[in-house]
């Protein structure tokens, strides 16, 4: 069972889709590690939760004071789960939930401060999305990529560098910042 770690929605339970064939929720320990890395940079920021799944990463950011979060998920059932979770956490006024393919969404014109990229593992989606999302980032932005521990991401992409990379069991978090 997943919960919001801290902030205005602290302790609220989040619903997930059963099985891992559609979504693979970020474990509590990985989520805690991720948010401890960026905890002082969330307040007032515009967040994108791409491949939202249950929406837990975006919800955690909203709970911690992000100005807004756009949740993008292409699975219809998962979109319903995100809607329920956002509503349950009383964060709907700052959330925008879209059913869309990630690449199609990134072709639109948007600007973000923090992006969570947590796609299905081993499909090359992080690399594909990085080159599309980086031009939409603010200069002080952060792109957080969650991949399988054995996946290799580029050190530099279009003037952005992998500033931190940490392994947590089968999962790896990589943070990109502008050079």
């Amino acid at each position: 069972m997943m919960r919001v770690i801290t902030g205005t929605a602290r302790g609220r339970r989040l619903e997930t889709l059963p099985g891992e064939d559609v979504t693979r929720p970020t474990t509590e320990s990985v989520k805690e590690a991720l948010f401890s890395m960026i905890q002082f940079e969330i307040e007032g920021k515009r967040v994108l939760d791409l491949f939202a799944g249950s929406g837990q990463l975006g919800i955690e950011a909203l709970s911690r004071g992000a100005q807004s979060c756009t949740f993008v998920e292409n699975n219809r059932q998962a979109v319903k789960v995100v809607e329920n979770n956002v509503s349950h956490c009383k964060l709907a006024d700052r959330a925008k939930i879209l059913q869309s393919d990630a690449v199609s969404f990134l072709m639109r014109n948007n600007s973000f401060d923090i992006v969570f990229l947590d796609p299905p593992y081993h499909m090359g989606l992080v690399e594909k999305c990085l080159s599309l999302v980086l031009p939409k980032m603010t200069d002080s932005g952060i792109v957080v990529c969650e991949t399988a521990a054995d996946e290799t991401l580029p050190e530099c992409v279009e003037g952005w560098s992998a500033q931190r990379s940490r392994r947590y069991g089968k999962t790896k978090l990589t943070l990109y910042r502008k050079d």
Side-chain angles (χ1 to χ4, degrees), residues 3-104:
R3 295 176 181 273
V4 177
I5 301 169
T6 196
T8 59
R10 179 181 176 183
R12 290 195 189 259
R13 291 178 181 201
L14 300 176
E15 169 187 340
T16 56
L17 281 177
E20 287 196 5
D21 43 311
V22 178
T23 62
R24 172 200 28 75
T26 301
T27 64
E28 286 291 312
S29 59
V30 171
K31 185 167 70 169
E32 283 195 37
L34 158 62
F35 281 94
S36 74
M37 285 187 231
I38 64 168
Q39 63 185 339
F40 302 113
E41 301 177 77
I42 299 167
E43 188 81 33
K45 300 294 186 213
R46 288 164 305 160
V47 176
L48 170 61
D49 189 350
L50 203 58
F51 307 98
S54 64
Q56 70 161 332
L57 297 177
I59 288 169
E60 188 71 41
L62 286 172
S63 180
R64 291 169 182 247
Q67 175 188 315
S68 63
C69 182
T70 302
F71 297 86
V72 178
E73 174 55 58
N74 68 355
N75 180 285
R76 196 168 167 60
Q77 292 161 296
V79 168
K80 279 270 166 248
V81 169
V82 174
E83 287 169 348
N84 293 344
N85 284 338
V86 164
S87 169
H88 175 66
C89 293
K90 300 181 176 16
L91 298 167
D93 58 324
R94 300 188 343 249
K96 183 175 174 183
I97 303 164
L98 303 170
Q99 183 178 343
S100 171
D101 162 71
V103 173
S104 312

